[in-house]
């Protein structure tokens, strides 16, 4: 049930037509959701968190594309729940605007949404690709998930630096078969080959703009072939979920 008007409010760049497009395609490109000043502050916080990664709690920093303790440096390092270490992230226009947008797209009261932040770094030159996947493949099938990710790059993102690719309408299907990268269960990253990349829509966007995608939307990001890091800050929002009776387990879980 939608609470409040489903139209754009001050500072929230989502109108009814955008909501309809999101429900049709399972993804949406948003104009900037933060200011240049705040973006500079977010970059400082982001860089500081990756620099102090060894002091973060176990599980809050890992390389999703590699084995734990692997020999080579991380190629797709992530910081999970950065707001735990930098509570000011929850007082930014970026967070507050994103939460209202998520509420409108999910048809939920923003205050009832669960959320967590997620910072993904594709290092310059050797940042690896993020293979095709659905975010819901990472979630428990025992729960009916209704959620989305608001993905904001802190640097302009291009095809060469690893912009997102989406398959329109794929959120209306089920979770497809996934496998661990390299067929190695020690690697956290999941991938699927049940996708036709020819159907993809590419979304290069400037720093501070964002894309939103449903947790069932198939998406991919290429490797970073540029000389600059590709810093992305993702906010994941979930509506209150219900248990699924008799849920089947998944091979890759
Ligand atoms: Ni994803």
């Amino acid at each position: 049930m939608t609470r409040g008007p489903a139209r754009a409010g001050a500072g929230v760049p989502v109108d009814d037509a955008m909501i309809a497009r999101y429900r049709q395609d399972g993804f949406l490109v948003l104009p900037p959701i933060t200011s240049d000043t705040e973006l500079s502050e977010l970059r400082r916080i982001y860089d500081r968190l990756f620099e102090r990664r060894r002091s973060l709690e176990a599980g809050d920093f890992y390389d999703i594309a590699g084995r734990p303790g692997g020999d080579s440096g991380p190629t797709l390092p992530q910081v999970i729940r950065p707001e735990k270490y930098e509570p000011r992230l929850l007082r930014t226009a970026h967070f507050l605007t994103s939460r209202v947008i998520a509420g409108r797209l999910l048809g939920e009261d923003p205050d009832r949404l669960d959320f967590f932040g997620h910072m993904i770094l594709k290092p310059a030159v050797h940042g690896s690709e993020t293979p095709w996947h659905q975010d819901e493949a990472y979630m428990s099938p025992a729960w009916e998930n209704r959620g989305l990710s608001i993905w904001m790059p802190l640097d302009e993102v291009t095809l060469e630096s690893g912009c997102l690719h989406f398959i329109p309408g794929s959120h209306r299907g089920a979770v497809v078969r996934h496998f661990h990268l390299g067929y190695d269960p020690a690697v956290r990253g999941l991938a699927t080959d049940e996708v036709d990349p020819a159907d993809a829509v590419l979304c290069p966007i400037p720093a501070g703009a964002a894309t939103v995608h449903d947790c069932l939307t198939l998406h991919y990001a290429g490797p970073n072939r540029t000389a600059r890091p590709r810093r992305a800050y993702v906010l994941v929002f979930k509506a209150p979920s219900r248990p699924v009776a008799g849920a089947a387990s998944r091979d890759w879980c």
Side-chain angles (χ1 to χ4, degrees):
M1 185 179 79
T2 301
R3 297 184 188 189
R7 57 184 157 74
V12 179
V14 173
D15 60 22
D16 289 349
M18 293 167 83
I19 294 171
R21 200 178 324 136
Y22 175 76
R23 291 190 177 152
Q24 175 72 23
D25 293 342
F27 72 94
L28 189 64
V29 179
L30 296 173
I33 54 172
T34 185
S35 66
D36 288 348
T37 306
E38 190 172 89
L39 199 50
S40 298
E41 172 69 0
L42 291 173
R43 288 188 187 113
R44 280 194 290 275
I45 293 173
Y46 188 104
D47 291 345
R48 197 159 58 226
L49 281 165
F50 278 89
E51 277 161 23
R52 57 179 276 221
R53 58 185 180 266
R54 285 183 185 80
S55 68
L56 306 186
E57 281 178 39
D60 287 347
F61 175 84
Y62 60 88
D63 180 12
I64 198 168
R67 293 182 67 104
D71 295 338
S72 53
T75 59
L76 205 50
Q78 321 218 353
V79 172
I80 306 296
R81 298 189 186 279
E83 61 276 3
K84 209 162 83 180
Y85 304 95
E86 298 276 359
R88 82 181 83 176
L89 290 171
L90 302 182
R91 298 190 293 272
T92 57
H94 162 245
F95 175 77
L96 298 170
T97 302
S98 295
R99 189 168 59 174
V100 173
I101 292 170
R104 290 195 178 159
L105 295 177
L106 291 168
E108 282 286 344
D109 181 341
D111 292 334
R112 294 191 67 216
L113 299 176
D114 192 13
F115 64 85
F116 67 94
H118 182 196
M119 293 172 162
I120 310 175
L121 175 63
K122 269 193 205 286
V125 184
H126 66 278
S128 65
E129 71 168 2
T130 312
W132 285 102
H133 68 282
Q134 293 164 298
D135 294 339
E136 185 155 348
Y138 287 90
M139 302 174 191
S140 168
W143 294 88
E144 180 191 287
N145 294 297
R146 255 186 342 113
L148 54 76
S149 293
I150 300 184
W151 190 100
M152 182 180 79
L154 304 186
D155 308 284
E156 180 192 21
V157 66
T158 62
L159 178 61
E160 294 72 30
S161 70
C163 70
L164 290 186
H165 304 211
F166 299 104
I167 303 292
S170 52
H171 65 304
R172 286 182 258 123
V175 177
V176 298
R177 189 175 53 86
H178 283 67
F179 50 87
H180 289 268
L181 295 179
Y183 300 96
D184 181 348
V187 178
R188 291 204 198 196
L190 295 173
T192 184
D193 50 17
E194 295 190 16
V195 58
D196 183 353
D199 296 334
V201 174
L202 281 58
C203 293
I205 52 174
T211 55
V212 193
H213 63 270
D214 186 273
C215 63
L216 273 171
T217 304
L218 280 158
H219 57 289
Y220 164 92
N224 181 6
R225 302 187 196 285
T226 72
R228 293 174 48 194
R230 192 219 67 177
R231 294 171 289 187
Y233 183 11
V234 191
L235 291 174
V236 179
F237 293 93
K238 290 176 76 175
S241 52
R242 289 181 287 270
V244 175
S249 63
R250 294 173 179 151
D251 304 356
W252 59 88
C253 288

